[in-house]
Amino acid sequence: MGVSQLLLVGLVILLGLCGVLVPGVPGSWLVWAAVLWWALEDPQPVAWVVLVGATVALFLSQVVRWTLPPRRLRESGATPRMAVYAGLGAFLGFFLLPVIGAIPGFMGGIYLSERLRLGRHGEARAALRTAMRSGGSSVLTELFTCLLIMGAWLGTVLWG
């Protein structure tokens, strides 16, 4: 697989990560489709292992999301700005504190967004709790799974 195709696969994965944060966009399916495209174009055993792992991870993510409360983020006061902050926080946290840093990064992004909007620590903390209870945990689950898949794909491409 050439460099240009790898960049396109990476771009589709990034679009999928952004799609997780946008309601109605099948972000996790875009990530999975990009890994499938890569595995079909570069049929090595490690590519198929990553694809199978991505499939299992997304299935488990869906099972976990079904047990969580439904998404009602708009009703809780979530804004697109909050989604951007949360997504950037999770993305940066994923790389700064490998893998597990996505969770505090996501929550830190929501807190920062609300702190800038509301101005006070207590109100921002209460808004963070409200956002996580109203569907933020569901978004975090899906985003974390997609970040894991992206990390597996990137690691395989760089070191495989």
Side-chain angles (χ1 to χ4, degrees):
M1 183 172 235
V3 173
S4 61
Q5 281 185 321
L6 285 174
L7 288 174
L8 286 174
V9 170
L11 181 64
V12 172
I13 289 174
L14 286 176
L15 286 173
L17 289 173
C18 293
V20 168
L21 300 171
V22 178
V25 177
S28 56
W29 292 107
L30 282 173
V31 171
W32 183 82
V35 173
L36 174 66
W37 173 25
W38 169 69
L40 290 173
E41 289 292 322
D42 192 12
Q44 297 177 0
V46 70
W48 290 103
V49 168
V50 171
L51 178 63
V52 169
T55 304
V56 169
L58 284 173
F59 175 75
L60 292 174
S61 167
Q62 293 301 315
V63 169
V64 168
R65 286 185 58 218
W66 288 330
T67 64
L68 295 173
R71 288 186 184 183
R72 293 190 183 110
L73 290 173
R74 292 281 178 219
E75 298 164 6
S76 72
T79 62
R81 177 180 161 195
M82 180 191 294
V84 169
Y85 275 72
L88 287 175
F91 191 77
L92 290 173
F94 187 80
F95 288 105
L96 293 175
L97 183 63
V99 183
I100 61 169
I103 297 168
F106 182 85
M107 293 172 70
I110 292 174
Y111 174 81
L112 179 62
S113 169
E114 292 302 292
R115 179 69 188 251
L116 292 173
R117 184 174 70 90
L118 300 171
R120 299 184 55 158
H121 169 71
E123 292 173 359
R125 195 174 68 194
L128 169 64
R129 272 196 309 269
T130 301
M132 291 304 287
R133 286 182 185 146
S134 348
S137 54
S138 177
V139 174
L140 176 59
T141 301
E142 187 175 358
L143 183 62
F144 185 71
T145 304
C146 290
L147 283 169
L148 284 175
I149 293 168
M150 180 208 57
W153 173 79
L154 190 61
T156 304
V157 167
L158 293 177
W159 292 290

